Amino acid sequence: VKGCRSGRRRFLKNSATLAGLAAGAVLSANGQPLDSQMHAGPPIGDLRAYGRRSRFVTSARGPLPYAQYTPLGDSMGTITPNSLFHVNGTGGFHSHSPGEVYGGGLPDFDPRQHRLLIHGMVDHPLIFTMDELMRFPSVSRFHFIECSGGQGGTQYAPIRRLNFLNDTNMYNHPHVLYSKSSNAEWTGALLSVLLNEVRVQKGASWLVAEGAEPNRLTRSIPLEKAMDDCLVAYGQNGEPIRPEQGYPLRLVVPGWEGDTNIKWLRRIKVVDEPYMTMAETNIYPSIRPDGKARWFLFEMPPHSVITFPSVGQRLPVHGFYEIRGLAWSGGGAIRRVEVSSDGGRTYKDAELQEPILRMAHTRFRLPWVWDGAEAVIQSRCTDEKGQVQPSLAELSKAWGVSLDYWQETSNYINHFNPIHPWKVTREGSVQNALFA
Amino acid sequence: VKGCRSGRRRFLKNSATLAGLAAGAVLSANGQPLDSQMHAGPPIGDLRAYGRRSRFVTSARGPLPYAQYTPLGDSMGTITPNSLFHVNGTGGFHSHSPGEVYGGGLPDFDPRQHRLLIHGMVDHPLIFTMDELMRFPSVSRFHFIECSGGQGGTQYAPIRRLNFLNDTNMYNHPHVLYSKSSNAEWTGALLSVLLNEVRVQKGASWLVAEGAEPNRLTRSIPLEKAMDDCLVAYGQNGEPIRPEQGYPLRLVVPGWEGDTNIKWLRRIKVVDEPYMTMAETNIYPSIRPDGKARWFLFEMPPHSVITFPSVGQRLPVHGFYEIRGLAWSGGGAIRRVEVSSDGGRTYKDAELQEPILRMAHTRFRLPWVWDGAEAVIQSRCTDEKGQVQPSLAELSKAWGVSLDYWQETSNYINHFNPIHPWKVTREGSVQNALFA
């Protein structure tokens, strides 16, 4: 191309942040820049009705075949595509289950036959069809849903044998960062509106929500939360909720443990005490070394992770990069994200992408020049309550355990939100450094 | 279910807005509410990697086989799913083309081979690979992209024969409201950052952007807009842009005519005048009856439409409904949406869903009790500039034409943003009343 300096590239002398991008350009510009090859895509007929992604895009949930987590290392912006929204669990005992217990397929309920019953300590128990629920006043809100953890020795043994680190909310596959937190725009009726419709009786203080899947996952939720911001949701990112997210109806409990967001919601019973369900007593309590357990700790703590550069990615050249990541908290809006490139000795404030929404993934970014030396990069977020994401050492101290505990325990570890350090090697590869 | 009054339903006496929902519940509650039938979904293997929607969800772009518009009548919230994002055009001459000219498939460019050239009146013309572009500082922003119109007698004749109304931005299929406006979270580099990198020369005032598809759609864009808020985007709703939206690279020109958002972006030339390209001189000017034309009218005007109830939908019973719709404007944020249920004689302010973002779809909602009489419902929006969406009569007056003009002309009609009235019949069916 005439006039194009394809072999040389300007350094922005007075913008140190962009220095080094030049090197990449020199390497790749080849003088034939506009002869990009066009491939014929799928037949038009397939594309018209409901589009598909490029054959060159292969991002997938994983790590297969044991789990279906969001490939956060591939993420862009704040939305998690519905097709990549995480599905949790392998045991089939709770609503995160991908469905092995269902005889070869995920449950796919006929919306014309699905019903929601609200009963218990109410004056007027009611049964709602989907059409009726969709006539109620609706709201749309961006919220993350994050699994509270739930990693144990039993059901995750195969994963541990595959050399995954015991990092309950981020599975560090050698090739991609997987996450048990995803983010979507949910649309539905406010649960408070439905509860007002059935008239909750005096003395009621909890509700029990139940899914329609064969396992009937059931969780107790304080009435106060239900009246505050819970949604009975039928929409996810502009279309009906996906089957593995609870189609046609899911309870969305903003900022709280993922499995309180009951999928395939069919029943809400208003009661005056928590029901001590199996999930609450056997599965989700975190048992400490002294035998005590944390129960009913609903709200997810502040959590952040650098998505680029992250495990499995590679920095091809020295120079400018933008460190990118996501932060979220059950405590509300993210107020601050700090990023360190020296293993936590010093931090700089990252820029937060607006709009910054409560209990939603928030994108953060910070310019960084990699000089080619080994570096440990990590992020630390603070939410609107002032809660700060802890280091693993701080978390261990608060938990009263040794650092080894996290790798050795076979108990469930919930709300595991340590700062996630990634080591950038001299070769530019990125590795997990949590237990380094 | 014991204790459930399935045959009676409470009226909320002191909440007139919800009155009538009761009727629906009475009709449908059948005493067997919890026996919803579960269907086995697709095999788990298919779902793990990249999820699919329920077999019961069939929302599709259309109307087929002539166009691929977003089924806005099915929309929930503000996000348009990538699979339902509109693709415009049938002639194959511009970048909206669904691809008939490409020999049976949409273009699907290999990102490893794709390049962007920025040259012309710049000190340092540069060629960027996709990897390099993705290293630049990035932003994520929610924006609609709306076709400016472009309906003419020639290429849309088949559609007109199929009894579509000449309503250029909303195709009123008998069964669903289709729209040429869709909304997504776009992620990419700011064009201003890239332009700073090549150093734009004094005297430059425009740029020409070109796509890599065989047609090479080319549009002239003022430099001022390019430096303000344009994105060189690679991400859409959390994943790479879809092939029919320009994978791997699309220019996003917030709020401006859809076809300025060049797909498969491969070249930006900085110049000192508009280039009077075919799209600008032959295709997109709006020719008036007096022979004069409007050229280079980039910014899309304020536009809103009621998505529920809308054409093809049906109100099963009298009583409470929530009127829902979407509003947007190239002029910035939506400040107000008014809704009328008496054909425009009186209006009430609708509630706007937050966050209200600039040049983005904004969801509005208003409670409404349908008494069973014929009603004409419509919405009217106002943007942050104070621009008000006109009635068809007001638009005609401003345009200097008769009402018939819109139905009879074979010229291109751009920026056609009249208030869209829907008639609700006594039977509860919803019809287009724009030309009633």
Side-chain angles (χ1 to χ4, degrees):
Chain A
V1 176
K2 201 176 172 183
C4 178
R5 303 189 189 192
S6 60
R8 288 205 295 146
R9 197 151 181 290
R10 186 172 66 86
F11 282 80
L12 256 189
K13 291 269 166 53
N14 40 8
S15 171
T17 57
L18 292 181
L21 265 177
V26 170
L27 289 176
S28 59
N30 59 7
Q32 301 281 338
L34 299 182
D35 298 335
S36 55
Q37 193 177 334
M38 195 181 77
H39 300 249
I44 288 298
D46 289 348
L47 285 163
R48 284 186 187 285
Y50 193 71
R52 299 181 186 179
R53 59 185 182 168
S54 165
R55 71 181 68 187
F56 297 104
V57 179
T58 56
S59 185
R61 292 188 291 214
L64 300 179
Y66 299 105
Q68 299 182 37
Y69 304 136
T70 296
L72 221 52
D74 300 334
S75 65
M76 297 174 173
T78 63
I79 298 286
T80 306
N82 291 347
S83 294
L84 296 174
F85 207 95
H86 79 283
V87 185
N88 194 39
T90 57
F93 54 79
H94 59 37
S95 76
H96 287 303
S97 167
E100 282 88 344
V101 297
Y102 304 137
L106 269 170
D108 196 7
F109 290 99
D110 186 338
R112 295 161 299 193
Q113 296 175 312
H114 192 77
R115 301 286 185 276
L116 171 64
L117 166 67
I118 305 183
H119 67 148
M121 295 176 69
V122 303
D123 286 346
H124 303 280
L126 288 173
I127 295 161
F128 301 94
T129 65
M130 286 303 301
D131 283 345
E132 287 159 7
L133 287 170
M134 293 170 84
R135 285 176 61 195
F136 276 87
S138 62
V139 299
S140 296
R141 293 180 182 166
F142 292 87
H143 289 305
F144 74 83
I145 293 182
E146 180 181 21
C147 178
S148 67
Q151 177 172 358
T154 310
Q155 72 272 35
Y156 282 97
I159 290 182
R160 300 181 79 185
R161 279 201 301 272
L162 284 172
N163 204 26
F164 287 96
L165 291 173
N166 189 354
D167 179 355
T168 61
N169 286 62
M170 301 289 159
Y171 282 103
N172 304 296
H173 188 275
H175 301 306
V176 66
L177 167 67
Y178 290 108
S179 169
K180 296 162 93 168
S181 184
S182 313
N183 194 57
E185 182 192 41
W186 304 98
T187 297
L190 281 170
L191 179 53
S192 60
V193 171
L194 301 182
L195 290 175
N196 285 337
E197 192 78 346
V198 298
R199 285 219 177 160
V200 173
Q201 292 172 348
K202 211 173 165 180
S205 53
W206 288 74
L207 57 79
V208 185
E210 177 189 75
E213 82 280 17
N215 302 323
R216 305 242 190 278
L217 177 67
T218 307
R219 285 294 306 255
S220 307
I221 297 168
L223 190 59
E224 189 180 354
K225 177 69 174 177
M227 295 302 289
D228 179 17
D229 60 3
C230 291
L231 295 183
V232 174
Y234 39 79
Q236 179 183 8
N237 288 336
E239 64 182 358
I241 286 180
R242 289 294 179 83
E244 67 269 33
Q245 297 304 325
Y247 180 82
L249 199 64
R250 179 177 202 170
L251 186 63
V252 172
V253 186
W256 283 24
E257 292 183 333
D259 83 317
T260 62
N261 296 255
I262 297 288
K263 298 173 178 177
W264 313 297
L265 180 68
R266 72 164 204 160
R267 188 156 72 106
I268 291 173
K269 186 173 184 183
V270 180
V271 295
D272 59 0
E273 58 181 354
Y275 260 35
M276 311 305 280
T277 68
M278 186 176 79
E280 287 149 9
T281 54
N282 282 9
I283 301 171
Y284 285 104
S286 294
I287 302 173
R288 304 171 77 123
D290 60 7
K292 293 183 180 175
R294 294 198 299 190
W295 287 7
F296 299 108
L297 185 66
F298 294 112
E299 188 181 292
M300 295 305 294
H303 206 163
S304 74
V305 65
I306 292 173
T307 59
F308 177 83
S310 64
V311 285
Q313 297 173 341
R314 209 173 174 291
L315 306 186
V317 292
H318 304 170
F320 177 87
Y321 291 93
E322 185 180 63
I323 292 178
R324 299 167 184 149
L326 290 169
W328 62 94
S329 175
I334 291 296
R335 284 281 182 262
R336 182 184 195 188
V337 179
E338 300 158 285
V339 170
S340 173
S341 58
D342 58 11
R345 279 189 292 279
T346 62
Y347 279 96
K348 286 181 185 172
D349 279 325
E351 189 172 355
L352 305 185
Q353 177 70 59
E354 297 190 336
I356 302 167
L357 303 173
R358 303 188 74 235
M359 292 85 89
H361 279 188
T362 299
R363 177 62 67 180
F364 66 86
R365 301 176 175 107
L366 186 75
W368 177 53
V369 176
W370 180 49
D371 61 8
E374 185 175 291
V376 174
I377 58 174
Q378 59 192 50
S379 64
R380 174 174 71 186
C381 69
T382 305
D383 69 15
E384 66 177 61
K385 290 182 175 176
Q387 299 181 112
V388 181
Q389 182 181 9
S391 67
L392 184 65
E394 290 165 344
L395 192 65
S396 299
K397 193 175 172 190
W399 191 242
V401 296
S402 71
L403 280 173
D404 292 338
Y405 172 80
W406 308 104
Q407 287 187 285
E408 292 170 2
T409 182
S410 63
N411 293 322
Y412 294 98
I413 302 169
N414 289 333
H415 300 249
F416 186 68
N417 66 326
I419 290 168
H420 299 273
W422 308 133
K423 178 163 66 175
V424 180
T425 69
R426 290 174 180 279
E427 293 73 38
S429 66
V430 187
Q431 302 167 353
N432 189 332
L434 185 61
F435 294 101
Chain B
V1 177
K2 200 176 173 184
C4 177
R5 301 192 190 192
S6 59
R8 287 203 296 144
R9 197 151 180 290
R10 189 171 63 87
F11 283 80
L12 256 190
K13 289 271 166 53
N14 40 7
S15 171
T17 58
L18 292 181
L21 266 177
V26 169
L27 289 175
S28 58
N30 59 8
Q32 301 281 336
L34 298 181
D35 298 334
S36 54
Q37 194 175 332
M38 196 181 76
H39 300 250
I44 288 299
D46 290 349
L47 285 163
R48 284 185 188 281
Y50 193 72
R52 300 180 185 179
R53 59 185 181 168
S54 165
R55 70 180 68 186
F56 297 105
V57 179
T58 56
S59 185
R61 293 189 291 213
L64 301 179
Y66 299 104
Q68 299 185 34
Y69 304 136
T70 296
L72 221 51
D74 300 334
S75 66
M76 297 173 173
T78 63
I79 299 286
T80 305
N82 291 347
S83 294
L84 296 175
F85 207 95
H86 80 284
V87 185
N88 194 37
T90 57
F93 56 78
H94 59 37
S95 77
H96 287 304
S97 168
E100 282 87 345
V101 297
Y102 304 135
L106 270 170
D108 196 8
F109 290 99
D110 186 337
R112 293 161 298 192
Q113 296 176 311
H114 192 77
R115 300 288 184 274
L116 171 65
L117 167 66
I118 305 183
H119 67 147
M121 297 176 68
V122 303
D123 287 344
H124 302 281
L126 289 173
I127 295 162
F128 301 93
T129 65
M130 286 303 301
D131 282 346
E132 287 160 7
L133 288 170
M134 293 170 84
R135 285 176 60 194
F136 276 87
S138 62
V139 298
S140 297
R141 293 180 182 167
F142 292 88
H143 289 305
F144 73 84
I145 293 182
E146 179 181 21
C147 178
S148 66
Q151 175 170 359
T154 310
Q155 71 273 34
Y156 282 95
I159 290 181
R160 300 180 78 185
R161 280 201 300 273
L162 284 171
N163 205 26
F164 287 96
L165 291 173
N166 187 354
D167 179 354
T168 62
N169 286 62
M170 299 289 161
Y171 283 102
N172 304 296
H173 189 275
H175 301 306
V176 66
L177 168 67
Y178 289 109
S179 169
K180 296 162 92 170
S181 185
S182 312
N183 194 58
E185 182 192 43
W186 304 98
T187 296
L190 280 171
L191 179 53
S192 61
V193 171
L194 301 182
L195 290 174
N196 285 336
E197 191 78 348
V198 298
R199 283 215 179 164
V200 173
Q201 293 173 347
K202 211 174 167 180
S205 53
W206 288 74
L207 58 80
V208 185
E210 178 188 75
E213 82 281 17
N215 303 322
R216 304 244 189 280
L217 176 69
T218 307
R219 285 293 306 256
S220 307
I221 297 167
L223 190 59
E224 188 181 354
K225 177 70 173 176
M227 296 300 290
D228 179 19
D229 60 3
C230 291
L231 295 183
V232 173
Y234 40 78
Q236 178 183 9
N237 288 336
E239 64 182 358
I241 286 181
R242 290 293 179 84
E244 66 268 34
Q245 299 304 326
Y247 179 82
L249 200 64
R250 179 176 203 171
L251 186 62
V252 172
V253 186
W256 283 24
E257 292 184 333
D259 83 318
T260 62
N261 296 256
I262 298 288
K263 298 173 178 178
W264 312 298
L265 181 69
R266 71 164 204 159
R267 188 156 72 104
I268 290 173
K269 187 173 184 183
V270 180
V271 294
D272 59 0
E273 59 182 354
Y275 261 35
M276 312 304 280
T277 67
M278 186 175 80
E280 285 148 12
T281 55
N282 283 10
I283 300 170
Y284 285 104
S286 294
I287 302 174
R288 303 170 78 123
D290 60 7
K292 292 183 178 173
R294 294 197 299 190
W295 287 5
F296 298 108
L297 186 66
F298 294 110
E299 187 181 294
M300 295 305 294
H303 207 163
S304 75
V305 64
I306 292 172
T307 58
F308 177 82
S310 64
V311 285
Q313 296 173 342
R314 211 172 172 290
L315 305 186
V317 292
H318 305 170
F320 176 87
Y321 291 93
E322 184 179 62
I323 292 178
R324 299 167 185 151
L326 290 168
W328 62 92
S329 175
I334 291 296
R335 284 281 182 261
R336 183 184 194 189
V337 179
E338 299 158 285
V339 170
S340 173
S341 58
D342 56 12
R345 280 189 292 279
T346 62
Y347 279 96
K348 286 182 185 171
D349 279 324
E351 189 171 357
L352 305 185
Q353 177 71 60
E354 296 189 337
I356 301 168
L357 303 172
R358 303 187 73 235
M359 291 86 89
H361 279 187
T362 299
R363 178 62 65 181
F364 65 86
R365 302 177 175 106
L366 186 75
W368 177 52
V369 176
W370 180 47
D371 61 9
E374 186 175 289
V376 174
I377 58 174
Q378 60 193 48
S379 63
R380 175 173 70 185
C381 69
T382 304
D383 69 16
E384 66 178 60
K385 290 182 174 176
Q387 299 183 111
V388 182
Q389 182 182 10
S391 67
L392 185 64
E394 289 164 344
L395 192 65
S396 300
K397 194 176 171 190
W399 190 243
V401 297
S402 72
L403 280 174
D404 291 338
Y405 172 81
W406 308 104
Q407 285 186 287
E408 291 170 3
T409 183
S410 63
N411 294 321
Y412 293 98
I413 303 169
N414 290 333
H415 299 249
F416 187 68
N417 66 326
I419 290 168
H420 299 272
W422 309 133
K423 178 162 69 176
V424 180
T425 70
R426 291 174 179 279
E427 292 74 37
S429 66
V430 186
Q431 301 167 355
N432 188 331
L434 185 61
F435 294 102

